[in-house]
Amino acid sequence: MKTFFWVLGLFALAVGLVVAARYNSAYVLIVLSHHRIELSLNFAVALLGGIFIALYLAVRAIVAALRLPTEVKRFHERKRHERGSAAFMEGVQAYLEGRYGRAERAAAQAFALDHAKALSAVIAARCAHEMRAFDARDRHLAGMDEEASTEYLRRITQAELLLDERRYLDALAVLEQIKDKHTAALRLELKAHQLARNWDRVEALLPQLDRRNVYDPVALAQLRRTATAEVLKRRALDMQRLREAWQKVPAELKSDGLVARAAAESFIQLGAGAEAHRIIENSLESHWDSQLVPLYAEGLDENTVEQIQKAEAWLPSHTRDAALLLTLGRLCAHESLWGKAKSYFEASLAVESSHSAHLELARLARSTGKEDDAGRHSEAAMHLALAQLEEVTGGRRRRLL
């Protein structure tokens, strides 16, 4: 409707001008020094209009000619942008489809055409990494502009790819250059420290990840248990440092089987068997762990009667625990209670046939001069050991050269 009214108005204007010109008898007199020019008003108006239009067109032509280089440049830039955008979209689609070679070429083309250079370089680097072309990957990342807006993207990508290559020390060096790490960067740093076995740093990162709800409570608790246990193992070279580390362990973790086992092993290694036994007792009273029980018979001193009494107090609640019966046998053997030791070893075998129980019975029989029994139990221990080895290796044997 708007166009219709414009056309109607123009027609009305044209009719009005024609009618006005028909009944207009005025004229224009132009007097020069020796000449007089007389023109009708209609012709003069038409002449002035024509001159104005001619001048306007001439000025527009001159301006267009002057702007032609700029317009040509803009045209080429627009075409370049269109080619870059098409190459970038092709690279993204090919990358998501898993066509890494095609995606790398398209992303490199988009980068060369200055389209989304940072993202194009990252896609090309990831594609090269997937094809294990690590030199090309590093070249793509190195080609990114050193701008603050893209620095985080470049470093987080580089760290992730280095970590995937298991170059965790190099990944850590890159991550250390990142300030104000977000959640993904913290997860990468945690993984890198785990691979580097920097358990102190793992333990220090866990509270931050806990505040950000990165892991579910079960996974976070497992990480905390593992880190605490590994830190205690690292302190097993110095008694004072080990005791300080144990004092810093939260109360709820001290009764955990994994943590208590690591602490007990460390104290036994440094000759503090009594402290190890107290740790084991406290942990077992809080939560029974059959894997922790055998340590109760290590690092023994001259008097283990109290330990035997303590272990026998656990027995009514765990009569079918082969590890507890084996441990009781070892404690009794240490006190030269041969009869009780033998009965406990045999009871352990009755619950579960084990290599360790047969070896203990073989030692006991040998110490009492019963060589036939010792040989029989030694042979049984060897067969069990070979059976366990075959189960682990699947029956495979390495060829000896």
Side-chain angles (χ1 to χ4, degrees):
M1 292 298 294
K2 187 176 181 181
T3 304
F4 172 75
F5 283 119
W6 268 105
V7 173
L8 185 63
L10 288 174
F11 272 110
L13 178 62
V15 171
L17 289 175
V18 169
V19 172
R22 183 176 180 180
Y23 295 102
N24 182 22
S25 59
Y27 64 91
V28 175
L29 179 64
I30 302 175
V31 180
L32 299 176
S33 58
H34 301 290
H35 301 280
R36 294 165 61 91
I37 301 174
E38 184 175 333
L39 302 172
S40 66
L41 180 60
N42 295 336
F43 180 74
V45 170
L47 181 62
L48 288 174
I51 293 172
F52 174 79
I53 293 174
L55 289 175
Y56 175 76
L57 293 176
V59 171
R60 288 293 301 271
I62 293 172
V63 171
L66 293 175
R67 295 177 59 184
L68 184 60
T70 303
E71 292 298 325
V72 171
K73 183 178 179 181
R74 288 179 179 177
F75 173 78
H76 287 301
E77 288 179 351
R78 186 167 59 252
K79 289 295 182 181
R80 181 185 178 89
H81 176 77
E82 291 174 357
R83 292 198 306 273
S85 177
F88 178 76
M89 294 305 297
E90 179 186 358
V92 172
Q93 180 175 345
Y95 173 70
L96 295 176
E97 291 174 351
R99 302 178 180 180
Y100 298 120
R102 180 177 177 180
E104 182 187 8
R105 292 191 296 272
Q109 182 183 0
F111 181 85
L113 292 171
D114 296 329
H115 184 83
K117 295 188 67 174
L119 294 177
S120 298
V122 166
I123 292 174
R126 288 185 176 276
C127 292
H129 177 83
E130 292 292 341
M131 296 185 294
R132 302 191 64 79
F134 299 132
D135 292 338
R137 173 202 66 190
D138 295 338
R139 285 196 301 272
H140 289 309
L141 290 176
M144 292 179 65
D145 295 333
E146 296 286 343
E147 298 178 2
S149 59
T150 61
E151 181 183 3
Y152 205 114
L153 174 63
R154 178 165 60 87
R155 297 202 182 281
I156 201 71
T157 303
Q158 186 180 12
E160 182 181 352
L161 298 182
L162 288 172
L163 193 57
D164 187 65
E165 196 186 347
R166 300 191 69 81
R167 291 170 54 185
Y168 40 83
L169 295 179
D170 294 332
L172 282 172
V174 174
L175 288 169
E176 287 176 357
Q177 301 175 32
I178 298 178
K179 298 179 180 179
D180 300 325
K181 298 183 181 68
H182 57 47
T183 301
L186 288 175
R187 293 183 67 169
L188 285 176
E189 186 176 0
L190 178 71
K191 184 177 179 180
H193 282 303
Q194 283 180 284
L195 290 173
R197 303 188 68 80
N198 297 332
W199 297 107
D200 290 315
R201 293 294 301 136
V202 171
E203 199 173 32
L205 282 171
L206 290 179
Q208 298 183 55
L209 295 170
D210 187 18
R211 288 194 296 271
R212 302 189 187 196
N213 295 320
V214 176
Y215 296 102
D216 63 84
V218 176
L220 187 67
Q222 181 60 35
L223 280 172
R224 184 175 286 112
R225 292 172 64 232
T226 303
T228 304
E230 293 296 334
V231 168
L232 289 171
K233 291 178 183 178
R234 294 290 180 88
R235 300 294 187 271
L237 300 176
D238 182 83
M239 181 62 74
Q240 182 178 355
R241 294 182 63 194
L242 176 60
R243 284 173 176 157
E244 291 175 355
W246 178 246
Q247 291 298 323
K248 293 179 182 178
V249 175
E252 65 273 12
L253 282 180
K254 286 185 176 181
S255 59
D256 180 81
L258 179 64
V259 176
R261 187 159 61 250
E265 288 174 348
S266 301
F267 278 109
I268 290 172
Q269 182 178 337
L270 293 176
E275 293 184 55
H277 298 151
R278 284 196 296 271
I279 292 171
I280 294 170
E281 290 170 1
N282 293 333
S283 177
L284 291 177
E285 288 175 359
S286 175
H287 176 72
W288 187 260
D289 185 356
S290 295
Q291 296 182 357
L292 181 60
V293 174
L295 286 176
Y296 199 56
E298 295 185 18
L300 301 175
D301 53 22
E302 296 180 356
N303 185 12
T304 58
V305 176
E306 292 184 3
Q307 286 182 251
I308 294 174
Q309 294 173 351
K310 190 72 174 179
E312 287 180 337
W314 296 329
L315 193 56
S317 301
H318 307 282
T319 55
R320 302 291 297 174
D321 194 313
L324 177 57
L325 293 167
L326 178 63
T327 300
L328 271 167
R330 287 171 174 169
L331 292 171
C332 291
H334 184 268
E335 286 293 314
S336 301
L337 301 174
W338 311 120
K340 290 185 68 175
K342 182 180 179 182
S343 63
Y344 281 129
F345 290 143
E346 291 175 345
S348 177
L349 280 176
V351 174
E352 180 183 354
S353 183
S354 66
H355 165 266
S356 300
H358 277 296
L359 278 183
E360 293 294 347
L361 281 170
R363 292 193 189 99
L364 186 58
R366 196 169 288 113
S367 64
T368 56
K370 298 179 180 179
E371 294 297 333
D372 292 339
D373 290 343
R376 179 167 54 83
H377 285 295
S378 296
E379 184 178 357
M382 182 183 65
H383 285 309
L384 280 173
L386 290 175
Q388 291 173 0
L389 178 62
E390 184 174 0
E391 183 180 354
V392 171
T393 61
R396 296 186 298 272
R397 296 289 186 271
R398 293 183 60 184
R399 180 178 297 176
L400 298 177
L401 301 177

